[in-house]
Amino acid sequence: MRFHVLTLFPELIDRAFGTSITGRALERGNLELHTVNIRDYAKNKHNKVDDYPYGGGAGMVMQAEPVYQAYESVRKTCAHRPRVIYVTPQGRVFRQNLARELAREEELIFLCGHYEGVDERVLEEIVTDFISIGDYVLTGGELAALVIMDAVSRLAPGVLNNEDSAEFESFHRSLLEYPQYSRPEVWREKQVPKELLSGNHRRIEVWRLGQAEKRTRERRPDLYREYERRRACERELLRNKLLHMDMLENLRTDRAQVLQFDETGIMLLDDGRGVCYVSAREPQAGRSMLEKISGQEYDPVPVLVLHQEFLAETAEKVLSETAKGRPGDWELESRLPYVYTQRNPLPRRYEAEVVRLEGSHDGQKRAVGLLLSDLPKGEDRRKQEALKSLAQGRMYGGFSEGKLKGILAQNQMGALDFLYVGEAFRRRGIGRALETAFINRLLEQGRTPYLWVKQENEALQALQENLGLCPAKSPLWILKNSAKNSGF
Ligand code: ADE
């Protein structure tokens, strides 16, 4: 991931970001930082970049042209037009879900203002996102940009030591953290809670969850109310858990917000990935839920995951009626969910050694390209998506005799998305070894492995049943707006 920062104080950004965890990630090449001094683009002999505001008033305003030229110097180096973030107290408030959304980008440009602001015309010309880090006013945008960059960086692959620690943090992310203790066991007559010394994993988990709930209830009643609502929503979804495992996992990992939860149905929105999950009790309720999503408020949602057939039947119609794209823009696919419902890991398979692949490793990238070269024509999109998973650190490779023979990609939600074994290496248990490793890894993270299988993919269905995954009784439908680019 690469950050470009347009600022009057590049040394402040370089120093702060070059320290500690982000500094090490820069050294290793997991992150890149490029600061641009806006003053270098001033055209006058004193390198002045500010002037008095038209209409009078206190303070100075940063002029449009130097900011624009600084931006142009960066844009020219980028393959695609990156998002440009202007940090300002007038923006959308920065939260973890926005951090996750930004972490999906390959490149981001930050514009840091100073003085009383920046000439509005250049903001209109270049800025895609206005973001605030909270309801207070700083002297300049640098600290705000650093806060955002820090939170986004720890979600980028390879930045934290344990690759999974940020991406799949514990279940209780909508709660405040539980208290932590370290040695000595007794400090100033204060004893470490006995549960933590018990060595009993389950007991420790229960204690931590209880503490996290207590803290949240006492310190953040607003968060706690939301947590209770999510729990109630989970209980409802558990009534048909095989069909709803995607929604459950989204709730448990705190990726989606609850848009609707009542006796007519449940609707979750993962705005980071632009995915809306809908489950309705009956067609009329389903129709009004679909109308709600296609209304102004939640536009644009490029992907809908529909859990009942009647939703699939009306969705395209509703979406085209409400003018959210032409009917032809929407593609509908049906999938059968499979869930690994047991808690115990599968016995390890030795047919292949399974390792997480690194998008920055040229040799691995070449090996994946070679393996995918025998994908049939017309599967180019699959190939592109697989390469994107590799770049984002969501791919595992199955090696035997030192050769890459199969790959498994996880989608952004952690579900198995793509399993592929090279033509010449099939029927040797490589797919099975890959999926076994994937399932065991998710179980270690306390998650429930699941995947959606195309109904015509009989080989993959047979593998699921063989591994002991349970199919849902009915399929679900994915409706994608092909005119919009989704990270799904
Ligand atoms: N610039 C000044 N104050 C700010 C804030 N609260 N958030 C983002 N940028 C800012």
Side-chain angles (χ1 to χ4, degrees):
M1 166 139 221
R2 183 181 300 137
F3 297 111
H4 304 270
V5 186
L6 316 179
T7 167
L8 291 172
F9 300 99
E11 67 289 349
L12 172 55
I13 302 283
D14 287 328
R15 279 275 195 117
F17 204 70
T19 306
S20 184
I21 293 177
T22 47
R24 282 198 294 278
L26 288 174
E27 279 167 23
R28 284 198 304 266
N30 293 115
L31 295 175
E32 283 177 47
L33 172 65
H34 168 218
T35 46
V36 179
N37 192 340
I38 298 171
R39 208 175 290 287
D40 291 345
Y41 294 87
K43 282 275 154 37
N44 50 70
K45 64 175 188 262
H46 299 296
N47 286 347
K48 226 169 83 73
V49 291
D50 60 327
D51 208 336
Y52 294 101
Y54 277 117
M60 303 290 271
V61 174
M62 259 164 93
Q63 290 169 294
E65 189 59 17
V67 171
Y68 187 72
Q69 291 304 334
Y71 160 75
E72 270 293 296
S73 75
V74 171
R75 196 201 49 82
K76 279 194 289 213
T77 66
C78 302
H80 306 284
R81 204 181 150 165
R83 284 168 80 162
V84 179
I85 296 165
Y86 177 50
V87 277
T88 163
Q90 299 170 17
R92 169 178 173 194
V93 178
F94 187 64
R95 293 188 195 289
Q96 193 64 22
N97 60 347
L98 182 51
R100 276 186 230 128
E101 178 185 326
L102 295 176
R104 281 172 36 208
E105 303 290 328
E106 279 163 30
E107 247 167 331
L108 288 172
I109 303 181
F110 286 87
L111 169 61
C112 304
H114 255 266
Y115 314 117
E116 288 307 301
V118 177
D119 190 308
E120 192 65 21
R121 292 166 296 182
V122 70
L123 299 180
E124 286 168 10
E125 195 70 23
I126 67 172
V127 173
T128 59
D129 298 79
F130 294 82
I131 302 182
S132 164
I133 62 161
D135 289 337
Y136 41 81
V137 183
L138 304 167
T139 55
E142 284 74 14
L143 289 175
L146 283 165
V147 165
I148 299 170
M149 286 157 60
D150 188 281
V152 170
S153 296
R154 64 187 283 286
L155 303 176
V159 173
L160 295 187
N161 285 337
N162 173 358
E163 281 176 88
D164 290 338
S165 57
E167 177 62 355
F168 300 118
E169 272 163 345
S170 70
F171 275 153
H172 341 120
R173 276 200 304 188
S174 52
L175 292 172
L176 302 181
E177 271 286 338
Y178 45 79
Q180 297 274 21
Y181 300 84
S182 182
R183 283 200 287 191
E185 217 176 289
V186 182
W187 180 78
R188 299 201 174 197
E189 292 172 27
K190 283 175 180 279
Q191 173 79 45
V192 171
K194 58 183 181 315
E195 290 81 356
L196 298 179
L197 306 173
S198 68
N200 177 336
H201 226 63
R202 174 92 194 117
R203 194 165 161 212
I204 295 172
E205 272 294 296
V206 170
W207 182 85
R208 286 184 164 161
L209 176 60
Q211 291 291 313
E213 286 179 336
K214 177 166 177 284
R215 265 208 171 167
T216 313
R217 211 167 36 238
E218 288 167 2
R219 299 185 186 181
R220 290 289 304 272
D222 56 326
L223 282 187
Y224 194 73
R225 271 191 298 279
E226 181 56 21
Y227 168 71
E228 285 190 309
R229 181 164 177 250
R230 294 169 76 91
R231 291 289 304 271
C233 191
E234 260 183 56
R235 284 193 291 274
E236 181 60 33
L237 291 167
L238 275 170
R239 290 153 61 110
N240 184 352
K241 76 170 176 189
L242 296 178
L243 180 64
H244 291 131
M245 193 46 72
D246 55 329
M247 295 175 82
L248 279 160
E249 282 287 292
N250 262 290
L251 274 179
R252 290 170 175 170
T253 54
D254 211 17
R255 277 146 201 258
Q257 64 188 92
V258 181
L259 280 189
Q260 182 174 330
F261 168 41
D262 55 31
E263 60 298 338
T264 65
I266 299 179
M267 202 153 60
L268 306 182
L269 175 69
D270 175 351
D271 53 3
R273 291 170 195 82
V275 188
C276 189
Y277 301 83
V278 190
S279 184
R281 284 269 169 83
E282 39 84 25
Q284 192 45 43
R287 193 179 169 94
S288 61
M289 288 163 95
L290 291 166
E291 281 167 359
K292 189 165 160 187
I293 332 165
S294 59
Q296 282 303 315
E297 216 179 329
Y298 305 117
D299 182 54
V301 183
V303 182
L304 298 180
V305 181
L306 309 169
H307 291 71
Q308 287 78 25
E309 189 166 10
F310 58 76
L311 289 174
E313 284 161 6
T314 44
E316 277 180 287
K317 201 152 159 273
V318 172
L319 292 164
S320 37
E321 273 167 17
T322 47
K324 291 291 174 293
R326 290 157 293 142
D329 287 344
W330 293 93
E331 283 169 25
L332 187 66
E333 296 169 3
S334 122
R335 295 274 196 281
L336 189 63
Y338 277 85
V339 181
Y340 186 77
T341 53
Q342 301 156 58
R343 286 200 167 200
N344 46 319
L346 288 165
R348 194 176 150 196
R349 315 285 308 187
Y350 292 95
E351 288 83 347
E353 192 199 344
V354 178
V355 294
R356 187 195 275 260
L357 301 179
E358 287 191 32
S360 53
H361 188 298
D362 283 340
Q364 292 190 347
K365 239 170 34 194
R366 264 197 309 278
V368 171
L370 196 67
L371 192 73
L372 290 174
S373 62
D374 48 60
L375 262 183
K377 279 216 168 23
E379 293 270 359
D380 284 353
R381 204 161 103 192
R382 271 267 53 134
K383 193 166 159 181
Q384 290 313 319
E385 281 169 15
L387 292 174
K388 193 163 151 194
S389 310
L390 173 65
Q392 296 181 347
R394 292 185 277 106
M395 187 179 278
Y396 295 88
F399 292 84
S400 83
E401 295 148 341
K403 201 171 156 99
L404 181 72
K405 297 194 171 164
I407 52 170
L408 181 153
Q410 262 176 303
N411 70 14
Q412 313 244 14
M413 282 153 29
L416 192 161
D417 189 38
F418 183 50
L419 180 62
Y420 184 78
V421 177
E423 285 224 21
F425 315 120
R426 296 200 181 148
R427 291 184 223 299
R428 297 184 198 173
I430 291 177
R432 211 181 146 96
L434 275 160
E435 190 170 335
T436 298
F438 159 80
I439 287 176
N440 291 349
R441 199 176 169 105
L442 280 181
L443 289 175
E444 266 169 36
Q445 293 163 351
R447 302 193 52 191
T448 306
Y450 73 94
L451 72 160
W452 298 334
V453 182
K454 272 193 192 163
Q455 281 180 301
E456 59 274 19
N457 193 342
E458 286 169 11
L460 194 54
Q461 293 194 16
L463 175 61
Q464 304 320 309
E465 291 184 18
N466 207 299
L467 287 171
L469 282 84
C470 303
K473 285 204 178 66
S474 54
L476 46 72
W477 281 263
I478 305 165
L479 190 61
K480 272 194 208 179
N481 187 334
S482 51
K484 287 185 183 128
N485 181 18
S486 78
F488 197 67

